[in-house]
Amino acid sequence: MVYLALIATVLSLVFWVYVLFDVIGSEAERVRLLPKPAWAVIVLLLPKIGAAAWFLLGRPRRERTSVEGPVGPPSPFPEYDHPSRARASTTEEDEAFLRQCRERAEEQRARARESQAREERERLERRREQREEGLEQGERDADEDPTESSP
């Protein structure tokens, strides 16, 4: 009998903690009947009754959604997001997908070529500046008389 009471107490505590986290984690706009802070106080002060009331009266209704993929920000590559991406349902879709892939690959190649050309121009500019500095340094050295000794 003692074990049964202990199990009931532990289950009650687990349920209360679950409900408390559920109240805290719920969106404030979707909570029913009372404001979210009021529900938190009720669940804290009246653990069993407050938890039951939360489930019956305050908990936001869960919307049923069809599972088509993860919910989140839009993908940077939308051509991969169609539900049957492993196989195309029609040859036109397959061709459109491959065309999008080729176009994106060409854009990436063009950006890479532009970046390489820009880096090459910068490298040549630095070499030219270094040569000019070297020539100016050489002219200054030539202006000095090598026969004169410094004191």
Side-chain angles (χ1 to χ4, degrees):
M1 197 58 132
V2 174
Y3 292 116
L4 188 60
L6 182 63
I7 290 173
T9 303
V10 168
L11 288 176
S12 175
L13 180 66
V14 168
F15 179 65
W16 177 68
V17 169
Y18 172 77
V19 168
L20 188 59
F21 277 97
D22 193 36
V23 169
I24 293 169
S26 296
E27 295 177 16
E29 306 84 38
R30 297 187 60 219
V31 173
R32 298 181 296 158
L33 195 63
L34 294 174
K36 184 175 166 179
W39 278 114
V41 169
I42 290 171
V43 169
L44 277 171
L45 297 179
L46 306 169
K48 293 179 180 123
I49 297 170
W54 166 253
F55 264 95
L56 294 174
L57 303 172
R59 190 172 195 214
R61 298 199 188 279
R62 304 290 183 219
E63 296 174 2
R64 297 189 186 269
T65 59
S66 62
V67 179
E68 290 187 15
V71 177
S75 170
F77 309 113
E79 60 269 16
Y80 293 124
D81 290 341
H82 59 84
S84 59
R85 77 174 196 165
R87 54 186 147 62
S89 56
T90 65
T91 56
E92 291 82 21
E93 287 181 2
D94 192 30
E95 290 171 7
F97 171 76
L98 292 174
R99 189 179 333 71
Q100 287 177 339
C101 289
R102 283 188 215 104
E103 289 171 359
R104 190 174 70 241
E106 285 301 319
E107 290 172 8
Q108 291 171 345
R109 287 186 195 112
R111 277 185 269 152
R113 282 191 295 265
E114 290 171 6
S115 175
Q116 288 174 347
R118 187 177 339 106
E119 290 173 2
E120 185 64 26
R121 282 192 304 267
E122 291 172 357
R123 192 171 28 251
L124 291 174
E125 183 66 31
R126 280 193 300 264
R127 285 183 188 165
R128 188 179 321 122
E129 289 173 0
Q130 290 172 352
R131 270 191 245 128
E132 290 174 359
E133 288 175 5
L135 290 175
E136 290 174 4
Q137 183 68 32
E139 289 173 1
R140 277 189 242 132
D141 291 343
D143 289 343
E144 295 177 3
D145 189 7
T147 58
E148 291 179 15
S149 62
S150 10

